[in-house]
Amino acid sequence: MLYSLYQRPLASVPHLIRTRVAPSRSACSVPWPHCRFSSSSRQPHNMSRSMKAVRVHQFGGPEVLQVESNQPLTILSPTQVLVRVMYAGVNPVETYIREGQYSRLPELPYTPGSDAAGYVDEVGSGVTDLQVGQRVFVTGRNSGSYAEYIQVESTYVFPLHERLSFAQGAALGVPYFTAYKALIMGAQARPGEIVLIHGASGAVGTAAVQIARALGTTVVGTAGTKDGMDVVTECGAHHVFNHNHKSYEKKMVDHIGGEGFDVIIEHLANINLGHDLQMLKPGARVMVVGCRGAVNINPRHLMLPEASIKGVQLGATPPNQYKEMGAAIVAGIEAGWVNPVINREYDMTEVQQIHHDIVHSKGAKGKLVLKVTHE
């Protein structure tokens, strides 16, 4: 199991880096992006302190995203941390929430986002494992990451190694935690198995490729463009195919020996799930991390191989599992094989554009991030 690898001293895991096929480069199952802290649980902070933040006052298109100044900061509880945000990660689910098309919606107005990287600005009286000025990345439940400061329980704050930039740190949360939960906690992928990352060039896909490669599986990835295929190769996939080409599923199965896959990470189940079920080895596990509509399948394709389909929902993850996932990802950063791929950076004033692009851009190739603070 991957987690056990991280328990070894770093000197014992350099093979995880050497096995990469190319140098590293610097949709959708995702967590509830933030939770509003109860105003009754704390008192107003020093009113001289305020911040700039993106606010949503009504659900709708990208135009409802408005950058507002003089948003007040509030006092931390003993277990909370205040982080000065340098970059915020943008995830597709945040567009669904903004449109009011998600199963759980925040109370208006709200600040979008869950992923960020920056410096610890202040810690609650009960926080002992983080220091003011420390580089960190943030994910999980918090006050919203499209802001100059983010308030969050210390459980969801993790040290950011100097090897990664703040932009890369902001790309760690939803993508890597989702990929880890799908591969390790859900599918329980094992070294030597064959794993298909179906749609591998996006943020979750590239994270899944890196984790699966480090685990010791044979990794097959798909992408829809030449650039996307190059990204997947650079992340460590052994074999890469274009999922826009005719009969690519048969080509993949033939290429790996004709038996199919042990694990499939599926990002677009409404399109691909029926095909996935015809590419399964005995005991295979299909993990659905993304779906944009209904799908009809033939359950007979599950019966003969005694295979299974399982959904992944990061928002349902308890704090102890966040702690496990964070420890594994931090160890992967230190070992050298966690390398978030940044597609493009946007200024905070371009927040409407980034929400448009994350939905409408063709050919995913990494993460879109929002530059919140200029040093």
Side-chain angles (χ1 to χ4, degrees), residues 276-339:
D276 292 340
L277 301 190
Q278 300 177 59
M279 301 187 291
L280 301 180
K281 294 176 70 175
R285 294 84 73 197
V286 180
M287 307 303 298
V288 176
V289 300
C291 185
R292 298 183 183 179
V295 61
N296 291 320
I297 63 169
N298 185 348
R300 289 181 179 272
H301 294 308
L302 295 169
M303 295 166 65
L304 182 61
E306 294 189 316
S308 61
I309 305 171
K310 188 174 183 179
V312 182
Q313 169 56 274
L314 194 57
T317 306
N320 66 307
Q321 290 186 354
Y322 264 102
K323 185 176 181 180
E324 174 187 336
M325 292 187 290
I329 292 162
V330 167
I333 297 170
E334 294 172 349
W337 53 262
V338 167
N339 296 288

Side-chain angles (χ1 to χ4, degrees), residues 32-293:
W32 181 229
H34 62 273
C35 79
R36 295 174 58 82
F37 296 103
S38 170
S39 59
S40 63
S41 66
R42 53 181 200 245
Q43 299 300 316
H45 194 31
N46 185 339
M47 295 307 292
S48 65
R49 293 196 70 188
S50 62
M51 66 174 177
K52 185 184 297 183
V54 174
R55 301 288 283 169
V56 174
H57 292 268
Q58 64 183 45
F59 298 116
E63 68 278 359
V64 303
L65 298 164
Q66 298 295 324
V67 179
E68 299 181 3
S69 301
N70 300 318
Q71 296 297 308
L73 299 180
T74 51
I75 286 177
L76 300 177
S77 77
T79 58
Q80 290 177 347
V81 179
L82 185 69
V83 175
R84 180 187 176 217
V85 176
M86 306 304 295
Y87 281 82
V90 177
N91 299 293
V93 70
E94 291 145 22
T95 68
Y96 311 149
I97 295 169
R98 185 210 71 227
E99 292 173 340
Q101 301 298 317
Y102 196 65
S103 58
R104 299 173 61 188
L105 296 175
E107 179 184 343
L108 295 170
Y110 75 97
T111 295
S114 64
D115 296 347
Y119 297 102
V120 174
D121 185 79
E122 184 181 347
V123 298
S125 60
V127 177
T128 59
D129 57 343
L130 296 166
Q131 293 78 42
V132 172
Q134 184 176 352
R135 300 173 91 248
V136 293
F137 69 94
V138 173
T139 191
R141 304 165 181 87
N142 53 61
S143 60
S145 62
Y146 298 12
E148 291 179 321
Y149 292 90
I150 187 171
Q151 190 166 338
V152 57
E153 291 291 326
S154 62
T155 301
Y156 307 106
V157 183
F158 305 92
L160 179 63
H161 196 280
E162 294 283 349
R163 191 176 70 79
L164 297 188
S165 67
F166 284 119
Q168 289 177 298
L172 289 169
V174 167
Y176 281 82
F177 284 63
T178 299
Y180 184 96
K181 187 172 186 182
L183 277 165
I184 307 306
M185 294 179 169
Q188 298 182 354
R190 296 181 292 273
E193 291 191 313
I194 303 176
V195 175
L196 169 63
I197 314 297
H198 213 165
S201 61
V204 177
T206 53
V209 169
Q210 292 171 15
I211 294 171
R213 180 63 190 255
L215 177 61
T217 69
T218 296
V219 184
V220 180
T222 75
T225 66
K226 175 62 166 60
D227 287 345
M229 294 174 68
D230 289 344
V231 167
V232 176
T233 298
E234 291 176 15
C235 285
H238 296 87
H239 314 290
V240 183
F241 295 84
N242 189 319
H243 53 224
N244 289 326
H245 286 181
K246 186 177 180 179
S247 302
Y248 77 95
E249 298 99 333
K250 183 178 186 304
K251 294 176 182 177
M252 289 192 301
V253 173
D254 290 345
H255 192 79
I256 60 173
E259 294 186 13
F261 299 97
D262 296 290
V263 175
I264 297 179
I265 306 299
E266 181 53 66
H267 291 91
L268 195 60
N270 56 299
I271 300 297
N272 299 322
L273 187 59
H275 299 290
D276 292 340
L277 301 190
Q278 300 177 59
M279 301 187 291
L280 301 180
K281 294 176 70 175
R285 294 84 73 197
V286 180
M287 307 303 298
V288 176
V289 300
C291 185
R292 298 183 183 179

